[in-house]
């Protein structure tokens, strides 16, 4: 996705002979293993609801009439839409995507069970794609995380988008230079000629020899130019492979034509050579028609006037087709997209993300041809979700506390080379599954506690304040997470705002009777969910009671009543990186009012677990 696009548009290998150990089986067609066994942490059951059997893409070939095929297609889209609605509902409760894919490949050779007999040896190709998010700060720290991932996963070929220059060197070359001990070759294609230092392009980085490269314009779209770039790569054992990378426009009106241009361009190459296309296709959740031209069979609905890509389809296809031109490696492993959508954007699960539809713009597609019949999808997974410590504003001017390697998740697939004469792809896939069953599986992931428990706890509980007081906030509360829960002495309950705070927001506790205190502490964030929704910028202050002659019953805004900090500190205690603050007085003081003043806006909601007064 392009960070500078209009907001209205943003809706939304291993070498031969390597022994593979510790893997999970591929799910048979139209079947998905349990979330835990596939590396998922599932959301609450009441959000997931019951599994309703609707049409899957493979079902379309079984339908007897064209009208049934169209209905099956639409029901498949409906199923995906229902899944997205459920995830959006949960996102607004938990502030996080309920479906999280682990960062470890199931067909990895990094762990060895010392079972190195010949029958367990396979040639596996590790292929990935990642949108680098330009030079958004902090690029050097993000680059270090990308390099760290390369060292861990050792991708054979990676397609990169939104690649810019740092001085006379592009970002892809920087990454390769940091991995000189492994040895990567880089091919770069300029896409957006701009002023010096800002030229943007797409790149291919590979551990193998690049024989030739080339590109062609996809025409139309914004910003400026869009291209598809390829490298002909020489692989050991497998032979030559054509690897394509692209970044389509975010303009829906141009995507159909651009996707068709991609398909037509690949048609000009040798059909007996493996062709893999990766990139950021800017595929929105509610506008997948362009990618359907490549990954779904063409049927009568493809030419229907209600299909936004119908004019392109009519000019490119003579009629319906029984199979799609490409297979999507994510769907090879997770065909039920309503449960496992593989969303790669947005990568930041914060309140800003809650207003963007999770979507899957980052794709890896394998051309269905004779050569690709020997390349079996072993596993596909996402990477780059981990947050690292950093505080500042990103390239869009958004304040962030914590950063990730990109605003997109990356996608990695592991493709097993399985040349068997006279056998179909499905038979070869079964052979790979049998091989994987014989290899030690990785330990299942621990499923985190469901946040639904805390929703129910707050609904069923009436907060009992630790002291008589009036607790209020300028931030409205979410559901039943009222302000009183931040002063009830219960560590499991908390106040939760229903929006992100501004620098004008406050949270106050006005005591009915002054309380003698030497120390006051505030704890923010949801401790049970890894400190989510902490306050990042704020100051905790305490005030003396108003004088008897004062006409005001509250002292929370009177600077003359502000209690000074101890040991030379300025009045008030600033929020620490842990989301807590402690105010210490020189001597015991009668406290009448406690106020948390937000000092900088932030993009996530605010949770306040408890305010504690110590004598």
């Amino acid at each position: 996705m392009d960070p500078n696009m209009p907001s209205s548009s943003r809706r939304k290998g291993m070498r031969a002979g390597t022994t593979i150990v510790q893997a999970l089986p591929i799910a048979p067609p139209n079947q998905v293993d349990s979330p835990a066994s596939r590396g998922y942490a599932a959301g609450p059951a009441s959000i997931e609801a019951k599994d309703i059997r609707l049409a899957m893409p493979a079902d379309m070939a079984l339908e007897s009439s064209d009208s049934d095929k169209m209905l099956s297609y639409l029901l498949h889209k409906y199923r995906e839409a229902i899944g997205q609605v459920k995830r959006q509902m949960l996102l607004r409760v938990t502030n996080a995507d309920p479906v999280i894919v682990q960062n470890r490949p199931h067909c990895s050779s990094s762990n060895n069970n010392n079972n190195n007999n010949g029958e367990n040896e396979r040639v596996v190709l590790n292929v990935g794609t990642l949108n680098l998010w330009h030079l958004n700060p902090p690029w050097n720290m993000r680059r270090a995380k990308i390099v760290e991932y390369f060292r861990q996963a050792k991708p054979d070929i990676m397609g990169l988008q939104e690649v810019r220059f740092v001085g006379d060197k592009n970002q892809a070359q920087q990454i390769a230079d940091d991995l000189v001990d492994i040895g990567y070759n880089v091919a770069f294609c300029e896409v957006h000629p701009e002023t010096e230092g800002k030229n943007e392009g797409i790149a291919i980085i590979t551990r193998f020899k690049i024989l030739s490269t080339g590109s062609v314009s996809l025409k139309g779209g914004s910003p400026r130019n869009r291209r598809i770039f390829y490298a002909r790569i020489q692989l050991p054992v497998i032979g030559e492979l054509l690897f394509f990378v692209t970044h389509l426009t975010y303009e829906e009106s141009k995507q159909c034509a651009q996707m068709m241009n991609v398909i037509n361009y690949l048609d000009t190459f040798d059909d007996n050579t493996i062709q893999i296309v990766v990139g950021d296709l800017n595929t929105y959740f509610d506008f997948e028609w362009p990618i359907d031209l490549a990954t779904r069979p063409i049927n009568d609905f493809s030419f229907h006037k209600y299909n936004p890509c119908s004019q392109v389809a009519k000019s490119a296809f003579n009629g319906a087709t029984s199979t799609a031109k490409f297979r999507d490696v994510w769907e090879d492993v997770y065909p039920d997209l309503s449960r496992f959508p593989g969303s790669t954007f947005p990568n930041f699960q914060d309140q800003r993300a809650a207003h963007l539809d999770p979507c899957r713009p980052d794709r890896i597609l394998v051309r269905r041809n004779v050569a690709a019949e020997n390349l079996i999808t072993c596993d596909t997974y996402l990477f780059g979700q981990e947050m690292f410590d950093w505080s500042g504003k990103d390239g869009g001017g958004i304040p962030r506390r914590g950063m990730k390697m990109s605003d997109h998740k990356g996608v990695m697939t592991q493709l097993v080379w399985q040349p068997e004469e006279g056998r179909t792809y499905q038979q070869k896939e079964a052979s790979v599954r049998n091989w994987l069953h014989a290899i030690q599986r990785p330990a299942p992931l621990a499923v985190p506690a469901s946040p639904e428990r805390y929703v129910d706890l707050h609904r069923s509980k009436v907060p009992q304040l630790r002291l008589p007081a009036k607790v209020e906030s300028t931030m409205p509360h979410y559901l039943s997470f009222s302000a009183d829960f931040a002063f009830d002495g219960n560590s499991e309950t908390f106040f939760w705002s229903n929006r992100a705070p501004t620098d004008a927001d406050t949270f106050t506790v006005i005591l009915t009777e002054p309380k003698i205190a030497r120390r006051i502490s505030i704890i923010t964030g949801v401790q049970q969910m890894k400190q989510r929704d902490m306050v990042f910028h704020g100051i905790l202050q305490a005030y003396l009671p108003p004088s008897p002659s004062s006409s005001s019953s509250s002292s929370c805004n009177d600077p003359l009543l502000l209690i000074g900090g101890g040991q030379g500190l300025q009045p008030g205690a600033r929020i620490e990186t842990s989301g807590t603050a402690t105010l210490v007085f020189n001597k015991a003081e009668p406290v009448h009012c406690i106020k948390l003043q937000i000092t900088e806006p932030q993009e996530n909601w605010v949770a306040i677990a408890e305010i504690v007064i110590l004598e």
Side-chain angles (χ1 to χ4, degrees), residues 508-511 514 520 541-545 554-557 563 590-595:
T508 58
V509 176
I510 303 172
L511 300 173
I520 299 174
Q541 298 174 327
Y543 293 81
L544 297 169
S554 171
S555 60
C556 292
N557 295 311
I563 302 175
V591 175
H592 172 65
C593 176
I594 303 164
K595 181 170 73 172

Side-chain angles (χ1 to χ4, degrees), residues 153-215:
K154 293 183 174 59
D156 293 308
I157 315 173
M158 182 77 79
L160 302 174
Q161 306 87 49
E162 296 192 9
V163 183
R164 290 195 175 180
F165 278 83
V166 181
D168 60 352
K169 190 174 294 186
N170 65 64
Q171 291 170 285
Q173 190 61 59
Q174 279 192 315
I175 293 169
D177 289 349
D178 290 340
L179 297 162
V180 65
D181 53 318
I182 297 177
Y184 278 100
N185 299 309
V186 175
F188 175 81
C189 174
E190 189 176 80
V191 175
H192 304 161
E194 296 185 13
T195 58
E196 184 178 354
K198 291 187 178 180
N199 290 15
E200 182 179 312
I202 46 183
I204 296 169
I205 182 168
T206 176
R207 297 199 293 126
F208 303 119
K209 183 178 180 180
I210 298 176
L211 303 176
S212 61
T213 62
S215 70

Side-chain angles (χ1 to χ4, degrees), residues 101-159:
V101 183
Q102 66 181 11
N103 208 22
R104 178 182 59 190
H106 298 139
C107 310
S108 173
S109 63
S110 60
N111 299 304
N112 197 315
N113 62 359
N114 297 319
N115 187 6
N116 288 334
N117 53 45
E119 67 183 56
N120 274 344
E121 292 184 355
R122 293 292 192 278
V123 176
V124 178
L125 187 67
N126 292 288
V127 173
T129 181
L130 176 65
N131 183 313
L132 288 185
W133 198 21
H134 304 296
L135 290 168
N136 271 280
W139 164 240
N140 285 337
M141 294 179 70
R142 295 197 298 111
R143 165 182 158 193
K145 290 297 179 181
I146 295 170
V147 168
E148 180 183 321
Y149 174 74
F150 266 72
R151 290 192 180 281
Q152 172 227 322
K154 293 183 174 59
D156 293 308
I157 315 173
M158 182 77 79

